Amino acid sequence: MSLALAPLDVSVEVEANLPCRKFDPDLWFSDSPAELELAKSLCGDCPLRVECLAGAVERAEPWGVWGGEIFERGAVVPRKRPRGRPRKEDLARDAQLRVEAEARLAASGLSESRSAVRLAA
């Protein structure tokens, strides 16, 4: 028995221009912050981005890039920080990125399901 993922938008072919199908899947689950940012940027033009993000929110994905957002421990994070203590300017940038991530979730219509998605502090 094989399972196939059918897109919600019937005008989109399953394999057509989906970055997660064209590039190495490990990129979306990398430990490297730079690689996760690359995966996020590749999701930008994906025709299934909103559906992918909604599915990840519904499933409370534990990690990875889904719909152009980074999930870590089931929460949307604005960016993955490298190991070690963050610099003060990184903390300020994280606060700004958190606001931008909230705006993207709201634009995707997922802010109503705020109880299902939490943004990591």
Side-chain angles (χ1 to χ4, degrees), residues 9-118:
D9 183 355
V10 293
S11 66
V12 177
E13 295 179 29
V14 175
E15 298 293 326
N17 296 322
L18 300 181
C20 57
R21 303 283 172 103
K22 289 173 32 178
F23 296 95
D24 182 9
D26 291 339
L27 182 64
W28 277 260
F29 299 97
S30 175
D31 286 331
S32 165
E35 289 183 358
L36 291 177
E37 290 301 321
L38 174 59
K40 279 176 57 174
S41 70
L42 291 172
C43 290
D45 294 331
C46 180
L48 299 178
R49 188 182 59 77
V50 173
E51 291 87 354
C52 178
L53 180 58
V57 167
E58 185 178 312
R59 293 185 305 273
E61 284 293 339
W63 67 83
V65 174
W66 298 90
E69 298 293 340
I70 298 173
F71 283 76
E72 189 170 291
R73 295 185 197 112
V76 173
V77 295
R79 70 179 184 93
K80 182 174 175 91
R81 293 194 313 214
R83 293 179 182 225
R85 186 175 183 168
R87 297 179 175 169
K88 290 181 183 178
E89 59 267 12
D90 288 344
L91 293 174
R93 183 176 53 180
D94 284 350
Q96 176 62 33
L97 290 172
R98 194 172 304 112
V99 169
E100 292 173 13
E102 288 176 0
R104 286 193 301 272
L105 286 172
S108 297
L110 297 173
S111 61
E112 299 84 36
S113 58
R114 182 75 180 198
S115 60
V117 157
R118 60 186 173 84

